[in-house]
Amino acid sequence: MSILEIYTDGACQGNPGPGGWGAIIYYPTGETKHLSGGDKETTNNRMEMQAVIEALSAVSKSERVVLYTDSQYLLKGITEWMPSWKRKSWRTASGSQVKNIDLWQQIDHYHQSLDIEWRWVKGHSGDPKNEAVDALARSAIAVS
């Protein structure tokens, strides 16, 4: 089983506002795959999540993934909050519907069907791969 490193990021001009997402898949062979896109009216959180969805949709079930994100919202959502949301039919502790439920459910699908290790990386701290995916997400804002 090969191990892929995936870095994802989202960016927004205004929140909400025009946004972009980026993902870079690093293959064990040294090859990379750059993915990006955007939306004219969105939020930073939605762009962070869309980057993950697009990257994971490009992964084979036979590959192990180490996914890096600088989004605490995304990381805590998938590793801490989601089990409770699912038990409560996608409701929060206060009883309201989970925000971005459409994207959370897609991420949950990949979380259940792929071998993913979720890791947090501090944003804008000089990590070259995180900086590269941040630039990709920001450049996608202009083309959305």
Side-chain angles (χ1 to χ4, degrees):
M1 179 183 289
S2 60
I3 299 176
L4 307 180
E5 277 191 341
I6 299 177
Y7 279 73
T8 63
D9 203 5
C12 235
Q13 290 179 346
N15 200 19
W21 59 266
I24 303 175
I25 303 172
Y26 294 88
Y27 295 94
T29 60
E31 294 176 71
T32 60
K33 183 174 189 174
H34 292 70
L35 304 165
S36 64
D39 197 335
K40 292 180 183 182
E41 186 69 16
T42 190
T43 66
N44 189 65
N45 286 340
R46 287 188 68 81
M47 291 293 90
E48 295 278 0
M49 297 169 77
Q50 193 65 48
V52 168
I53 291 164
E54 298 295 337
L56 293 177
S57 72
V59 170
S60 160
K61 286 186 179 187
S62 65
E63 295 168 312
R64 183 167 183 270
V65 174
V66 180
L67 192 142
Y68 294 85
T69 178
D70 62 10
S71 169
Q72 287 286 343
Y73 171 73
L74 178 64
L75 189 64
K76 287 184 178 185
I78 196 71
T79 62
E80 296 177 26
W81 306 330
M82 189 176 288
S84 176
W85 292 340
K86 289 170 68 174
R87 278 193 307 274
K88 297 176 183 177
S89 301
W90 294 95
R91 299 272 174 198
T92 65
S94 66
S96 60
Q97 186 176 48
V98 170
K99 289 181 183 176
N100 303 312
I101 188 174
D102 57 329
L103 301 181
W104 280 120
Q105 289 176 333
Q106 290 179 66
I107 291 170
D108 183 44
H109 165 75
Y110 291 113
H111 182 65
Q112 298 300 320
S113 62
L114 297 172
D115 182 3
I116 307 168
E117 180 181 334
W118 302 86
R119 292 191 187 170
W120 182 74
V121 60
K122 185 175 182 179
H124 311 289
S125 63
D127 180 300
K129 292 178 179 177
N130 189 62
E131 297 295 335
V133 79
D134 176 68
L136 187 60
R138 290 186 184 287
S139 69
I141 294 172
V143 296
S144 58

